[in-house]
Amino acid sequence: MRKLKQLAEAASDFYGVPFDKLISTDRSDIYTKPRHNCQWIASDAGMKKSIIARFWNQDRTAVYYGCKIVSARIKKDAHEFNELKKLMQHARKFITR
């Protein structure tokens, strides 16, 4: 859970959105995109979707949906893929071992 919090803090900083709003249930696009990107990164790193869901106060089907949305976006748009790569690089500064 600590790494998920650090990833969310990195996304909050990267996207310029308040951490509290990012981890809330607010469904505004300004928060859902960074939230879905965090879920995709965590899932891609091998974290179980049920653990990811617990951190975001969601059920795992919501995490599956978020990951599906991100996968579709990065396949369709190179800009989205590059943004996700930049977020991952940015997150490395926040995530401690």
Side-chain angles (χ1 to χ4, degrees):
M1 291 283 213
R2 180 175 54 88
K3 289 191 187 297
L4 284 170
K5 183 178 182 202
Q6 292 168 341
L7 177 59
E9 289 169 342
S12 173
D13 183 65
F14 183 79
Y15 287 103
V17 296
F19 177 79
D20 293 343
K21 288 296 238 176
L22 181 64
I23 62 169
S24 74
T25 57
D26 191 320
R27 297 173 87 179
S28 303
D29 286 344
I30 193 169
Y31 307 119
T32 56
K33 181 179 179 181
R35 189 179 303 137
H36 288 164
N37 284 347
C38 287
Q39 293 170 352
W40 185 91
I41 290 169
S43 177
D44 189 57
M47 194 168 281
K48 289 183 179 182
K49 288 181 176 59
S50 58
I51 293 171
I52 299 167
R54 196 173 311 133
F55 173 78
W56 292 102
N57 292 320
Q58 298 178 333
D59 60 40
R60 73 185 160 79
T61 59
V63 175
Y64 276 103
Y65 174 76
C67 291
K68 182 179 173 182
I69 293 292
V70 173
S71 292
R73 265 198 334 247
I74 63 176
K75 286 179 184 172
K76 186 165 53 167
D77 187 352
H79 172 74
E80 293 288 340
F81 179 71
N82 289 332
E83 181 181 315
L84 192 61
K85 281 179 26 181
K86 287 178 185 176
L87 172 58
M88 288 188 281
Q89 290 170 346
H90 187 73
R92 286 187 181 112
K93 300 174 195 171
F94 285 78
I95 297 176
T96 58
R97 296 194 181 264

